[in-house]
Amino acid sequence: MISLFDIFKIGIGPSSSHTVGPMRAARRFMETISGRDGLAHVQVTLYGSLAWTATGHATDKAVILGLCGERPETVDPEKADALVAEIWKKGVIAIGPATVRFQPAHDIVLDKETRPPVHTNTMQFAAFDRDGRLLENARFCSVGGGFIVSEDAAESTSYTMPEVPYNFRSGMELLDLARRDGLNIADIVLRNETALRPKEAVVAHLDRIIDIMMHCIERGIASRGVLPGKLEVRRRAGALYERLREREKLNSSLPHEIMDWVSLFAIAVNEENAAGGRVVTAPTNGAAGVVPAVLRYYRDYCPGATREGMREFLLTAAALGGLFKLNASISGAEVGCQGEVGVASSMAAAGLAAVLGATPSQVENAAEIAMEHHLGMTCDPVGGLVQIPCIERNAFGAIKAINAASLAMRGDGDHRVSLDQVIRTMAETGRDMNHRYKETSLGGLAINFPEC
């Protein structure tokens, strides 16, 4: 089991693999070289997808913040741009007691030619002395959802898992455990989490995640203006909210218009993500709007919704997200957007089904349905920005999640295609997908948009 503390991380936009991961890697390298004798110069090289979308995904900004010692979960989004601008202006950065030469225009190298040997999201950090001699070198891979590993570790497809009461690495194993002990999926995850840390810490983390998700929706609705980047995409969550409120006053809303609210919730979150605001990776930043939107749907529109139910939703969703991370990928640069919005939709479908009273088999079916109908989805961000089609795509992922949960609960949990088979199919589809459609902005809508 991958912990919910890893599935639901707190960070800033616009990308978990291209912003959160590189910031964490840069900070880790900074801690390694801090206090090193003779330290005078630092250089960073970005490869693959990180190089192709570095500016649009704010990877360059993230690297600078990480080298300055900032963490994704605590950095102040309001002050981050000013800190980065200061480094650009001065051309030096403080690492421990040393003032080190670091000129972003020259020392953040975008290598679009070299194909990284292990993972497309590879970055290299190098530290030199005053004579240009190499003091330290490290290579990291950002493997999705803010997870980073050394390049050597990324060559292994296995994970060393903590000892917990209920070990599972597949949907089938998870269902077997639930049947054996008469537990639901959230119970299993909670028992595993509380074997690693006090229950109070688990509940506090869940509540913090819930609060940040709900606050992100509100912040997105309240904000106006144009999103950063050359596309000049105008925020529309606020205007959409006002139109929906006006429609409510007429007392003539159609039943399906509830889905417009769900879309609004997802759009609000992903506009915040695109603006570099505080979001929760769920399981990634590019897909950060799906789970909050469906969770808000449960809170606002499902009779009997409770805070405890919201926790159960997230515990269940974390179990499913962990299965995708273990057995396939949650990286758009590795498997396309099926690994981001597709996985988020699957997680949200499972969480919603669980809190509406589904059996573990129905929960597994809901997750399977949601992912099955995202298979093959490409990652083709226009202009390298997490805006088009990413923002609307989250809205559709949330709608699909609700539909999948509803369909699963109309059945008895017995179905022909298992979640494990769909996860395996997603992984194989991602491997077969041309690299142009995996977060490089070299194919699909990213290159056809200028002709529209």
Side-chain angles (χ1 to χ4, degrees):
M1 187 196 82
I2 293 181
S3 172
L4 71 90
F5 283 72
D6 291 322
I7 291 296
F8 295 118
K9 298 187 187 72
I10 298 164
I12 61 170
S15 172
S16 48
S17 59
H18 290 57
T19 311
V20 175
M23 192 188 305
R24 296 178 70 201
R27 179 183 166 88
R28 184 177 297 181
F29 185 71
M30 179 275 295
E31 291 172 340
T32 299
I33 62 175
S34 181
R36 186 74 177 264
D37 290 339
L39 179 63
H41 178 208
V42 170
Q43 189 172 75
V44 183
T45 304
L46 304 176
Y47 300 97
S49 177
L50 294 178
W52 284 106
T53 62
T55 302
H57 281 41
T59 308
D60 48 358
K61 171 182 173 180
V63 165
I64 295 170
L65 290 172
L67 290 174
C68 289
E70 297 288 350
R71 302 176 186 271
E73 61 270 25
T74 57
V75 62
D76 185 346
E78 302 297 327
K79 298 179 181 179
D81 286 339
L83 178 57
V84 170
E86 183 180 3
I87 302 302
W88 273 85
K89 180 180 178 180
K90 294 183 176 179
V92 295
I93 195 166
I95 297 181
T99 300
V100 178
R101 178 163 58 90
F102 183 75
Q103 299 171 313
H106 304 289
D107 292 323
I108 299 179
V109 180
L110 308 183
D111 187 341
K112 300 178 181 180
E113 302 300 324
T114 303
R115 185 169 182 174
V118 179
H119 194 282
T120 183
N121 286 342
T122 297
M123 64 201 101
Q124 176 176 281
F125 296 85
F128 304 90
D129 65 13
R130 288 179 176 80
D131 296 322
R133 287 189 293 265
L134 182 67
L135 298 176
E136 189 75 36
N137 183 63
R139 289 168 68 96
F140 296 94
C141 297
S142 183
V143 295
F147 288 84
I148 58 166
V149 294
S150 68
E151 189 175 52
D152 292 339
E155 292 186 280
S156 171
T157 58
S158 64
Y159 289 85
T160 301
M161 309 304 292
E163 287 297 323
V164 291
Y166 293 93
N167 276 307
F168 60 90
R169 285 178 170 266
S170 69
M172 185 61 68
E173 290 177 358
L174 179 58
L175 290 181
D176 287 344
L177 290 170
R179 293 190 194 102
R180 187 192 73 187
D181 290 2
L183 299 172
N184 62 36
I185 292 172
D187 290 333
I188 289 173
V189 176
L190 183 59
R191 292 189 184 195
N192 282 348
E193 294 291 349
T194 54
L196 302 174
R197 55 185 61 86
K199 183 176 180 179
E200 293 77 13
V202 177
V203 172
H205 183 70
L206 287 168
D207 284 344
R208 188 181 182 206
I209 292 302
I210 291 168
D211 290 342
I212 291 174
M213 285 180 171
M214 297 303 105
H215 181 60
C216 189
I217 291 173
E218 299 300 334
R219 196 169 60 242
I221 290 172
S223 299
R224 301 292 189 274
V226 176
L227 295 172
K230 59 186 177 182
L231 297 180
E232 297 185 348
V233 173
R234 184 168 295 278
R235 285 181 181 255
R236 53 179 167 160
L240 178 56
Y241 171 77
E242 291 169 1
R243 286 193 289 270
L244 289 174
R245 288 299 304 271
E246 288 299 317
R247 179 74 176 176
E248 281 187 333
K249 294 176 183 177
L250 300 177
N251 292 320
S252 62
S253 298
L254 296 171
H256 74 264
E257 290 182 8
I258 289 177
M259 295 298 100
D260 292 339
W261 284 96
V262 176
S263 295
L264 165 65
F265 301 149
I267 288 169
V269 171
N270 281 83
E271 286 182 346
E272 276 299 293
N273 179 62
R278 174 82 63 218
V279 298
V280 176
T281 61
T284 69
N285 282 31
V290 178
V291 170
V294 181
L295 186 63
R296 181 67 167 256
Y297 167 79
Y298 164 71
R299 193 196 79 173
D300 289 0
Y301 295 103
C302 295
T306 64
R307 186 73 168 194
E308 184 60 35
M310 297 176 81
R311 295 173 188 143
E312 181 183 352
F313 184 116
L314 293 182
L315 286 165
T316 306
L320 276 298
L323 291 179
F324 281 100
K325 174 63 181 171
L326 277 172
N327 299 304
S329 174
I330 57 172
S331 169
E334 196 169 11
V335 294
C337 199
Q338 58 174 356
E340 298 205 25
V341 169
V343 172
S345 184
S346 186
M347 292 168 61
L352 181 62
V355 295
L356 295 182
T359 66
S361 293
Q362 289 173 318
V363 169
E364 184 259 2
N365 190 195
E368 177 272 320
I369 293 171
M371 173 49 76
E372 184 177 334
H373 302 291
H374 281 93
L375 289 174
M377 180 177 282
T378 60
C379 183
D380 50 352
V382 174
L385 297 164
V386 191
Q387 298 176 16
I388 301 174
C390 317
I391 295 172
E392 283 185 355
R393 190 168 282 176
N394 274 258
F396 280 84
I399 301 301
K400 284 185 180 181
I402 295 170
N403 193 25
S406 183
L407 284 173
M409 294 186 70
R410 297 294 175 265
D412 60 5
D414 184 25
H415 53 106
R416 298 297 298 273
V417 179
S418 72
L419 175 64
D420 292 332
Q421 290 168 331
V422 168
I423 292 175
R424 185 162 58 249
T425 301
M426 189 267 271
E428 292 171 351
T429 302
R431 285 195 295 270
D432 292 340
M433 192 181 291
N434 189 290
H435 78 280
R436 292 183 301 150
Y437 303 106
K438 295 193 282 189
E439 211 167 356
T440 59
S441 292
L442 296 176
L445 191 61
I447 62 170
N448 288 311
F449 172 80
E451 299 174 6
C452 296

